[in-house]
Amino acid sequence: MAATIETSTGQLRDEEASVHTPQGNGDPGSNTNSWPAPVIASNDQRIPMFKSRRKRTSRDPITVERANLLTMSKLIIKELIDSSLSQGRMLDDDHVPLQQFFVVLEHVLRHGLKPKKGILRDKREFWCVLEAIEKFAPEAAEMTTSVKDMPNVKTPLGRARAWLRIALMQKTLADYFKMLIEKREEILMECYEPGAIMLEEEGMVISGLLVGLNVIDFNLCIKEEDLDQPMGVIDFSLYLKDNVGMDASLDADSMEGKSRMATILDQKNYLEELNRHLNATVTNLQQKLEVSQTTNALMKEDLAIAKNHSLTLQAENEVLRQEKNQLLDNYEKQLQVARQDIDTERQTYQTSSAGLDNMYSDIKKKYEEETQLRVDVEKELELQISMKQEMEMALQLLEKDIHEKQDNIVTLRQQLDEIKAINLEMYNKLQTCDSTLKHKAEMVVKLEEKTNQLVATMKDMEKKLKQCESDKQAAMETARKLGQTVAEKDSLRTALETDLKIEREWRGTLQKTLEQEKEKLGSVQMDLQKMKDLEKDYTGLQERHQLLQQTCDDHERTLAELGSHLSESKLKMEDLRESHLQQKEAQWASDKEATHCKQCSKPFSVARRKHHCRNCGDIYCSECSDNKMPHPSSSKPVRVCDSCQDILLQRYSAQ
């Protein structure tokens, strides 16, 4: 059941459909400075209102969150406009309502956002939504690039916060928000889940509220602010009303007492909703803490496994070293045995050189095999050492990740302690409200008894009133006759006064129109004189323009003739230079004198051969003369050096 409550402005609202926090009409410029004082229409409607409060617990939590976010947006925007109008100055970072505005706006943009899967946990980031605006508003691309280039902003949440602050200072936040709402099917449907505030009617209402912030100037320092810190919590204590001193004037008027009673009930409902919201945030933080603890335990297990693996690698490394030492010992023993065999063979086979040659070849083969085994063992040892270094680097990275997770756990615990403190304050305020509510209920009972006494006195007064009405009718007949005569004379007087007023007004309007026509005539004459002066100046400028045009044409003709003469002379000079170069024979350098390349100065060898350049005749290596160009001395392309190639290319391009 929904309890209908009549507010102080005479409008009706539904308790079940309204938000649990008392509020104004939603307009940022409305003149309601605080909570409106609702008045309960009758005593019988108090019970349905408590029933509606019980029924509210079974509502959809998503709709409740949307309603609460819309209410907080209205309150914070109204607070910003009121503070700017009262103080008459520019708002900066130190203004507490402005800080809470950004916190509320972040909660609005994160409501119903689809999470992105990460390595450790799902992430909810709305930077992709703001980044998609530049597809439909090209002027926003410059702002996104400047945000990405900021050195102190490293996370997507920090970039989104910097983007929102720049848009607010440029007074384009409302326009971009409206664009998101209008393009919701193209931008928001991929990023938000059904039922999010950006996809419902509340998003359109918030975009309308943001238009009111265009009248305020903001001065925000983005470079010095830490924008990468975790998401803040909405401070609801700024909008709670203190109920102390409300029971002083209850006996003065019963309607005022009922209105204050209604405000107390609304505040109690608001505190219950606030407590529910805080409990939900506490549970979310506890879940995040448990997830971080599990990830920390997993990281510790990985670290232990990595340490065990490193120990096993060290043991294997020691085993390989022992094997290497054994192989070296065996190799030395084999060498000694081979030397002894060689000595005996020398003594036995001194007569035959063929036998000695065979023994020498066998021993040489054995020696090569032993050296090959030693090289293989050294390679395996180097591989084991490189694997050990990689494992040490992996252990260091794991330790860094563990330290970062521990820091996150500490910050989450601090936020949890702060939320618990806020919850205790809300609980104390709720107890004080309950005590005042009981006192007010006793006062209401006393007031009902007084109203019953007043009803009895009113009945006695009605009897006396009937007697007075009979006397009043007799006096009214005599007054009616006198009123008729007075009315006739008044009608004549009013007719004459109206005629006189009409004539005076007509005369005043005629005088005003005459003065206006005189002023218009003077302005037209001044404009005519200015136009004549401008016409004279225009004719003079036209004559000067014609003279300058003629001189410009003459200069262009002379320049064209000079250009043609210069081009002809250049062609002739190139022809003469080419004929002179063709007539000049290159000196052919001798092969015996050249020991180094003329360009790279590298010495010639069997691998680096000598080559003559067919243009200059000098000797170069194959890398410095690996070019072929047509030459007047040959019908086919010939080998030339790099410098001669550049000269020939310039010559052919000029031709």
Side-chain angles (χ1 to χ4, degrees):
M1 294 178 64
T4 305
I5 296 176
E6 184 179 2
T7 60
S8 59
T9 56
Q11 299 175 353
L12 295 177
R13 66 185 181 91
D14 190 1
E15 176 64 18
E16 184 178 357
S18 65
V19 183
H20 308 315
T21 55
Q23 60 186 16
N25 55 3
D27 189 7
S30 62
N31 55 2
T32 56
N33 294 324
S34 63
W35 303 52
V39 178
I40 299 175
S42 65
N43 295 328
D44 296 334
Q45 290 178 352
R46 289 185 304 205
I47 297 170
M49 188 172 71
F50 287 107
K51 291 181 179 179
S52 66
R53 185 161 56 85
R54 294 192 195 97
K55 186 178 178 180
R56 206 183 303 134
T57 58
S58 62
R59 290 174 61 192
D60 187 8
I62 297 175
T63 57
V64 174
E65 289 176 2
R66 286 204 307 268
N68 289 333
L69 287 173
L70 179 61
T71 303
M72 291 305 301
S73 301
K74 290 178 181 178
L75 290 173
I76 195 67
I77 292 171
K78 181 180 176 298
E79 181 69 22
L80 288 174
I81 294 171
D82 291 342
S83 61
S84 65
L85 292 175
S86 62
Q87 297 176 3
R89 63 179 179 84
M90 185 181 294
L91 300 181
D92 52 6
D93 295 330
D94 297 331
H95 196 56
V96 177
L98 183 59
Q99 297 174 359
Q100 288 297 313
F101 167 73
F102 285 118
V103 174
V104 172
L105 191 60
E106 289 175 11
H107 280 276
V108 169
L109 291 171
R110 282 194 61 173
H111 183 264
L113 191 66
K114 291 181 180 178
K116 292 183 178 180
K117 292 184 178 179
I119 299 172
L120 299 177
R121 63 179 184 275
D122 295 341
K123 298 180 180 179
R124 296 179 182 269
E125 297 171 352
F126 55 90
W127 167 241
C128 59
V129 179
L130 301 178
E131 197 175 6
I133 293 175
E134 63 182 7
K135 296 180 181 178
F136 302 95
E139 62 273 9
E142 184 178 358
M143 187 162 60
T144 53
T145 53
S146 63
V147 168
K148 290 178 181 178
D149 295 336
M150 288 183 179
N152 59 336
V153 179
K154 298 179 181 178
T155 60
L157 181 60
R159 295 191 188 98
R161 288 172 175 171
W163 193 95
L164 292 174
R165 282 159 174 76
I166 293 172
L168 186 63
M169 286 192 288
Q170 294 180 357
K171 297 183 180 180
T172 56
L173 182 60
D175 298 333
Y176 293 147
F177 208 87
K178 185 179 179 182
M179 185 182 296
L180 284 175
I181 299 300
E182 291 176 352
K183 306 288 185 179
R184 66 180 72 179
E185 295 181 356
E186 301 175 4
I187 301 174
L188 303 180
M189 294 299 289
E190 297 179 356
C191 300
Y192 288 93
E193 296 177 352
I197 193 169
M198 296 294 289
L199 302 177
E200 300 297 332
E201 296 178 356
E202 288 85 351
M204 184 64 72
V205 175
I206 292 172
S207 65
L209 293 173
L210 292 175
V211 177
L213 297 178
N214 292 335
V215 300
I216 306 173
D217 294 329
F218 297 95
N219 185 14
L220 305 175
C221 185
I222 301 173
K223 292 183 179 179
E224 297 180 359
E225 190 175 358
D226 186 11
L227 300 176
D228 294 331
Q229 59 186 352
M231 198 163 183
V233 181
I234 302 173
D235 188 6
F236 294 96
S237 61
L238 297 173
Y239 309 101
L240 293 177
K241 185 176 179 182
D242 193 4
N243 295 321
V244 178
M246 292 182 64
D247 55 350
S249 60
L250 276 174
D251 296 332
D253 190 2
S254 62
M255 295 298 289
E256 186 178 359
K258 291 180 181 179
S259 65
R260 291 180 179 175
M261 185 74 176
T263 57
I264 290 167
L265 292 174
D266 286 338
Q267 288 183 8
K268 184 179 179 181
N269 295 333
Y270 174 66
L271 287 172
E272 290 177 354
E273 180 61 28
L274 181 60
N275 193 8
R276 187 194 65 78
H277 180 70
L278 290 173
N279 288 327
T281 54
V282 167
T283 53
N284 290 329
L285 289 173
Q286 288 177 352
Q287 290 176 359
K288 290 180 180 179
L289 183 61
E290 290 176 357
V291 171
S292 62
Q293 287 177 353
T294 54
T295 53
N296 191 7
L298 292 173
M299 294 295 287
K300 286 180 179 178
E301 291 177 358
D302 293 335
L303 181 61
I305 292 167
K307 286 181 178 179
N308 294 327
H309 189 59
S310 65
L311 292 173
T312 54
L313 288 174
Q314 289 177 358
E316 290 177 357
N317 192 4
E318 291 178 356
V319 171
L320 289 172
R321 285 180 181 176
Q322 291 176 359
E323 290 179 355
K324 178 186 174 183
N325 294 326
Q326 290 177 0
L327 289 172
L328 289 173
D329 294 336
N330 294 326
Y331 174 70
E332 289 178 355
K333 290 178 181 179
Q334 288 177 2
L335 281 176
Q336 291 176 0
V337 171
R339 286 173 183 174
Q340 291 176 1
D341 293 336
I342 288 168
D343 293 334
T344 56
E345 290 294 332
R346 279 178 184 176
Q347 292 175 1
T348 55
Y349 293 102
Q350 286 179 357
T351 57
S352 61
S353 61
L356 290 171
D357 292 332
N358 292 326
M359 288 295 294
Y360 180 76
S361 62
D362 294 332
I363 292 167
K364 189 175 181 180
K365 286 180 182 179
K366 290 180 181 180
Y367 181 76
E368 287 175 355
E369 289 175 358
E370 294 296 330
T371 52
Q372 187 66 31
L373 287 171
R374 184 177 179 181
V375 170
D376 294 334
V377 170
E378 288 177 352
K379 287 182 180 179
E380 288 179 358
L381 183 61
E382 289 176 356
L383 287 172
Q384 293 296 329
I385 291 168
S386 63
M387 289 175 67
K388 182 182 177 182
Q389 291 177 355
E390 289 176 358
M391 289 301 298
E392 288 176 355
M393 291 293 291
L395 287 172
Q396 291 177 359
L397 293 173
L398 288 172
E399 287 176 357
K400 287 182 181 179
D401 291 334
I402 289 167
H403 288 305
E404 290 177 358
K405 297 300 179 183
Q406 289 176 354
D407 294 334
N408 291 328
I409 289 167
V410 170
T411 55
L412 288 172
R413 285 177 179 172
Q414 290 177 358
Q415 291 180 0
L416 185 61
D417 293 333
E418 291 175 357
I419 289 168
K420 287 180 179 178
I422 293 169
N423 196 0
L424 288 172
E425 290 178 1
M426 296 296 109
Y427 182 74
N428 293 326
K429 289 184 179 180
L430 182 61
Q431 287 181 349
T432 54
C433 289
D434 289 332
S435 61
T436 53
L437 182 64
K438 291 178 181 178
H439 182 67
K440 303 302 179 187
E442 293 175 358
M443 295 298 291
V444 167
V445 173
K446 292 179 181 179
L447 289 172
E448 287 176 354
E449 292 176 357
K450 289 182 179 180
T451 52
N452 293 327
Q453 293 176 0
L454 289 171
V455 168
T457 55
M458 287 291 290
K459 289 180 180 179
D460 296 332
M461 294 297 290
E462 285 176 356
K463 291 179 181 178
K464 293 179 181 179
L465 183 61
K466 288 179 181 179
Q467 292 178 0
C468 293
E469 284 178 353
S470 61
D471 297 332
K472 183 180 177 182
Q473 288 178 358
M476 287 290 289
E477 289 179 358
T478 56
R480 184 174 56 80
K481 293 178 181 180
L482 293 172
Q484 289 177 357
T485 57
V486 173
E488 290 175 356
K489 292 181 180 180
D490 287 331
S491 62
L492 293 172
R493 183 176 60 80
T494 53
L496 292 172
E497 286 178 353
T498 52
D499 294 334
L500 182 61
K501 287 180 181 178
I502 290 167
E503 288 178 357
R504 286 178 180 174
E505 290 175 357
W506 181 253
R507 183 177 179 183
T509 53
L510 288 175
Q511 288 179 355
K512 289 180 181 178
T513 52
L514 181 61
E515 290 176 357
Q516 291 176 359
E517 292 294 333
K518 286 181 180 180
E519 291 176 356
K520 288 181 180 178
L521 181 62
S523 63
V524 169
Q525 289 177 356
M526 292 292 289
D527 294 333
L528 183 62
Q529 187 66 31
K530 290 179 181 178
M531 291 298 290
K532 289 180 179 179
D533 296 334
L534 290 171
E535 187 176 2
K536 291 178 182 179
D537 296 332
Y538 181 73
T539 54
L541 290 170
Q542 280 184 345
E543 292 174 357
R544 288 180 64 189
H545 179 68
Q546 290 176 358
L547 292 171
L548 292 171
Q549 187 71 29
Q550 290 177 0
T551 55
C552 183
D553 294 333
D554 294 335
H555 288 310
E556 286 178 354
R557 289 171 187 170
T558 55
L559 287 171
E561 291 175 358
L562 287 172
S564 63
H565 288 304
L566 285 171
S567 62
E568 291 175 357
S569 63
K570 282 183 180 179
L571 291 172
K572 289 178 180 178
M573 287 294 293
E574 292 292 332
D575 293 332
L576 290 172
R577 187 181 296 170
E578 185 178 358
S579 62
H580 180 68
L581 290 172
Q582 289 177 359
Q583 291 174 2
K584 187 178 180 180
E585 293 181 356
Q587 294 181 358
W588 194 263
S590 63
D591 293 333
K592 296 180 180 180
E593 294 177 356
T595 58
H596 293 78
C597 178
K598 189 175 181 181
Q599 185 172 351
C600 64
S601 67
K602 291 181 180 180
F604 293 112
S605 62
V606 177
R608 188 178 289 106
R609 299 178 62 189
K610 300 177 183 179
H611 297 280
H612 281 86
C613 177
R614 300 302 188 272
N615 188 29
C616 62
D618 292 327
I619 296 174
Y620 298 88
C621 63
S622 62
E623 294 177 357
C624 299
S625 63
D626 192 13
N627 304 306
K628 287 188 177 182
M629 293 290 292
H631 198 267
S633 63
S634 177
S635 60
K636 295 181 180 180
V638 294
R639 182 187 290 272
V640 293
C641 62
D642 294 337
S643 59
C644 292
Q645 184 192 15
D646 297 334
I647 294 167
L648 292 173
L649 285 173
Q650 291 178 0
R651 187 187 299 170
Y652 293 147
S653 63
Q655 289 177 0

